[in-house]
């Protein structure tokens, strides 16, 4: 009877994991699916370049701003409650995006959608921490890594298919409407399958809401991140160099935030987490890696559609090899990491760097309409490396974090990833568009931008190597003397 009960609980956990992965895929898909829909939005709503920029960057901005407070809410209220709330808000915001009568209305709905997605993110990693342990947790994070890689890479293909089916005039609306049936089904399943949180942060009985939620910390962190992210996501629209003073202001606000948090009984961000080597290096690795690999899709899609005249569907299909490689290797990485640890991410990063470099070489050697065929194998290789990087890093980063702080820790990790994405898009985009503005070719612009992305990927490799070196130094100190 005991064994039967345990098997039933295991099946319930796996079903709950499937719901989490479905919702994670849906929310992360909206980060990249909109890229190929921009021409359709411009045609259908008469949107300006600034409107289109905000449709893309506004989602990422509110997504990043809400992640850490969302993690705290999950730790305090219970992740099931926060998960269901975020899912409902995301579904409603998706409907508002699809029904938007004007470009301004679409931008506002996208801001709300990004915030709802940010509320969901930490709950998914927190629920995995809570439901699984040991090798089972590593495998669960492996499936989550597969979901992240698939959602990021499959977004352009999914968008291209929807627009091709519905037409350029209103096809962009179905990019958002597709979330409605998924969201409703997922909500019904989550009500039945997602377990109630058994481990919440404990605060003093009778403590008011201000004792449980650090509103000053929320304000300082939000203002600091906004000041840092805004000039990055608007780098192409704000031409004045004065915008970079906002980054300085943001850094100062974040420094004030760090000082404020040290005096809190229940801090918004437990800075002691950064004293844990695996967490510190994992967060840094994730930030640099997302600055590199996500930006490649940004410039590759532009290169194919505007430079070579590919349709939205063709451009999306060209990125499919990366998604396939990531899907195949991420589950494998989740299993290997429990035995081989950080070595798995090092192998993954080296593979990503090699695949990215070969993609650049393929564009140089095979210019013109056959570029997509030439880049298929290198992108497949890069995808395999990505699958061995994202999921294992997520598992290793959170491996030593107390379950009660899993939501907050996951929120900080994903905030670092969003900050990395915004920074990468700004830096890679600046090189890419500057070369085009100077009369350079689309192919050369892509190659130069990719070199910058490889630089970020190399920084993530340095973080992984530093973690291994720190672990090797720590082991002799903890080994008992004979």
């Amino acid at each position: 009877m005991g064994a039967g009960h345990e098997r039933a609980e295991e099946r319930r956990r796996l079903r709950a994991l499937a719901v989490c992965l479905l919702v994670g895929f849906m929310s992360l898909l909206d980060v990249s699916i909109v890229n190929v829909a921009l021409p359709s939005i411009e045609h259908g709503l008469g949107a300006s370049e600034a409107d289109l920029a905000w449709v893309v960057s506004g989602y990422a901005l509110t997504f990043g701003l809400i992640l850490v407070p969302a993690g705290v809410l999950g730790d305090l209220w219970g992740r099931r409650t926060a998960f269901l709330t975020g899912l409902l808000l995301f579904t409603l915001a998706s409907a508002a995006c699809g029904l938007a009568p004007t470009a301004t209305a679409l931008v506002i709905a996208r801001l709300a959608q990004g915030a709802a997605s940010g509320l969901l993110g930490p709950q998914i990693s927190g629920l995995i921490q809570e439901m699984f342990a040991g090798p089972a947790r590593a495998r669960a994070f492996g499936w989550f890594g597969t979901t992240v890689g698939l959602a990021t890479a499959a977004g352009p293909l999914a968008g291209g298919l929807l627009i091709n089916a519905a037409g350029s005039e209103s096809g962009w609306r179905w990019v958002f409407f597709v979330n409605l049936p998924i969201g409703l089904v997922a909500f019904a399943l989550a009500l039945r399958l997602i377990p109630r949180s058994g481990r919440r942060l404990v605060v003093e009985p009778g403590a008011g809401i201000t004792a449980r939620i650090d509103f000053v910390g929320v304000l300082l962190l939000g203002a600091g991140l906004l000041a840092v992210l805004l000039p990055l996501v608007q780098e192409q629209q704000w031409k004045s160099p004065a915008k970079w003073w906002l980054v300085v202001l943001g850094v100062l606000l974040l420094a004030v935030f760090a000082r404020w948090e040290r005096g809190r009984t229940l801090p918004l961000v437990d800075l002691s987490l950064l004293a844990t080597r695996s967490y510190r290096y994992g967060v840094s690795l994730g930030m640099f890696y997302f600055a590199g690999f996500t930006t490649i899709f940004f410039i590759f899609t532009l290169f194919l559609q505007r430079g070579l005249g590919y349709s939205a569907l063709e451009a999306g299909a060209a990125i499919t090899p990366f998604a396939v490689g990531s899907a195949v290797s991420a589950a494998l990485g989740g299993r290997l990491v429990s035995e081989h640890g950080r070595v798995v991410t090092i192998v993954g990063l080296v593979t990503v760097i090699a695949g990215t470099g070969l993609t650049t070489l393929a564009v140089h050697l095979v210019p013109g309409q056959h570029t997509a065929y030439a880049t298929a194998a290198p992108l497949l290789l890069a995808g395999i490396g990505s699958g061995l990087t994202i999921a294992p890093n997520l598992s290793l980063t959170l491996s030593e974090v107390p379950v009660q702080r899993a939501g907050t820790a996951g929120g900080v990790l994903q905030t670092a990833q969003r900050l990395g994405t915004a920074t990468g898009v700004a830096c890679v985009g600046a090189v890419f568009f500057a070369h085009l503005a100077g009369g350079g070719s689309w192919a050369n612009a892509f190659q130069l931008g990719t070199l910058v992305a490889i630089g970020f990927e190399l920084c993530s490799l340095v973080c992984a190597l530093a973690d291994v070196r720190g672990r090797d130094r720590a082991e002799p100190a903890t080994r008992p003397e004979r």
Side-chain angles (χ1 to χ4, degrees):
M1 183 175 179
H5 177 72
E6 187 173 332
R7 284 194 296 271
E9 284 298 311
E10 178 66 17
R11 286 195 297 270
R12 182 182 177 89
R13 285 194 294 269
L14 291 175
R15 290 168 183 164
L17 174 63
V19 175
C20 290
L21 297 183
L22 174 64
V23 173
F25 181 86
M26 179 180 66
S27 64
L28 290 168
L29 189 72
D30 272 59
V31 176
S32 59
I33 195 173
V34 174
N35 286 332
V36 297
L38 294 179
S40 178
I41 293 172
E42 184 178 22
H43 179 64
L45 291 180
S48 66
E49 288 188 6
D51 293 327
L52 296 178
W54 271 102
V55 167
V56 175
S57 61
Y59 183 94
L61 188 63
T62 52
F63 189 117
L65 288 175
I66 202 68
L67 279 168
V68 174
V72 174
L73 289 176
D75 292 336
L76 288 169
W77 293 349
R79 295 180 189 104
R80 182 177 186 270
T81 300
F83 181 88
L84 290 170
T85 302
L87 178 55
L88 179 61
L89 292 175
F90 184 87
T91 305
L92 292 174
S94 297
C97 287
L99 294 170
T102 65
T104 301
L106 177 59
V107 169
I108 294 171
R110 280 286 284 177
L111 293 172
Q113 192 187 36
S117 183
L119 179 57
L120 284 168
Q123 317 318 325
I124 295 173
S125 59
L127 283 166
I128 292 174
Q129 285 279 90
E130 190 174 287
M131 292 188 296
F132 300 93
R137 180 184 291 174
R139 288 193 296 272
F141 275 125
W143 286 110
F144 184 58
T146 301
T147 301
V148 173
L150 279 174
T152 303
L157 176 60
L161 287 169
L162 289 168
I163 292 168
N164 187 65
S168 60
E169 179 70 28
S170 59
W172 65 270
R173 296 187 185 274
W174 289 98
V175 167
F176 303 110
F177 284 149
V178 73
N179 293 331
L180 302 185
I182 299 174
L184 292 174
V185 170
F187 189 85
L189 292 173
L191 278 174
R192 188 165 64 92
L193 296 173
I194 299 296
R196 296 186 184 277
S197 181
R199 307 185 210 182
R200 303 183 192 179
L201 282 178
V202 178
V203 296
E204 294 181 7
I209 189 69
T210 55
R212 291 182 283 133
I213 300 179
D214 177 14
F215 287 108
V216 175
V218 170
L219 180 62
L220 287 171
L221 179 63
L225 288 174
L226 181 63
V228 171
L229 288 171
L230 202 53
L232 293 174
V233 298
Q234 290 297 105
E235 198 275 336
Q236 292 300 313
Q237 284 69 45
W238 294 355
K239 302 301 182 183
S240 172
K243 64 176 177 282
W244 299 115
W245 285 105
L246 279 175
V247 176
V248 177
L249 174 62
V251 171
L252 291 175
L253 287 171
L254 292 175
V256 173
F257 166 76
R259 187 173 183 84
W260 167 263
E261 291 293 285
R262 290 192 181 97
R264 298 287 300 174
T265 304
L266 185 61
L268 181 66
V269 176
D270 188 353
L271 297 177
S272 66
L273 289 173
L274 297 177
T276 304
R277 184 192 62 255
S278 59
Y279 186 76
R280 180 173 66 251
Y281 283 118
V283 169
S284 301
L285 188 156
M287 180 177 67
F288 285 120
Y289 181 69
F290 272 73
F293 105 100
T294 55
T295 54
I296 294 173
F297 302 123
F298 172 66
I299 59 175
F300 193 51
T301 302
L302 288 174
F303 166 53
L304 293 177
Q305 287 188 272
R306 297 186 182 178
L308 298 180
Y310 279 39
S311 67
L313 179 58
E314 290 169 336
I319 301 174
T320 301
F322 186 99
V324 172
S326 179
V328 169
S329 65
L332 176 64
R335 292 194 294 268
L336 292 175
V337 70
S338 59
E339 182 178 351
H340 301 288
R342 185 59 75 185
V343 173
V344 177
T345 60
I346 292 175
V347 173
L349 287 167
V350 171
T351 306
V352 169
I353 292 168
T356 305
L358 290 172
T359 300
T360 306
L361 181 62
V363 169
H364 175 72
L365 294 177
V366 187
Q369 294 298 311
H370 297 295
T371 294
Y373 297 106
T375 57
L379 285 175
L380 176 65
L381 181 65
I384 291 172
S386 185
L388 295 175
T389 300
I390 295 176
N393 183 60
L394 187 61
S395 179
L396 290 169
T397 302
L398 299 177
S399 61
E400 298 178 46
V401 173
V403 172
Q404 294 89 338
R405 300 297 288 179
T408 305
V412 172
L413 174 60
Q414 292 192 54
T415 298
Q417 292 172 352
R418 299 287 81 73
L419 180 60
T421 298
T423 303
V425 168
C427 295
V428 173
V431 172
F432 181 81
F433 289 113
H435 186 75
L436 291 176
S441 69
W442 283 91
N444 287 340
F446 171 75
Q447 290 164 351
L448 290 173
T450 305
L451 291 177
V452 178
I454 290 175
F456 285 119
E457 292 168 355
L458 286 170
C459 289
S460 64
L461 178 60
V462 169
C463 293
L465 293 171
D467 187 18
V468 171
R469 186 177 182 185
R471 189 182 301 273
D472 291 341
R473 286 179 175 179
E475 284 182 353
T478 57
R479 192 178 298 141
E481 294 184 5
R482 296 184 178 179

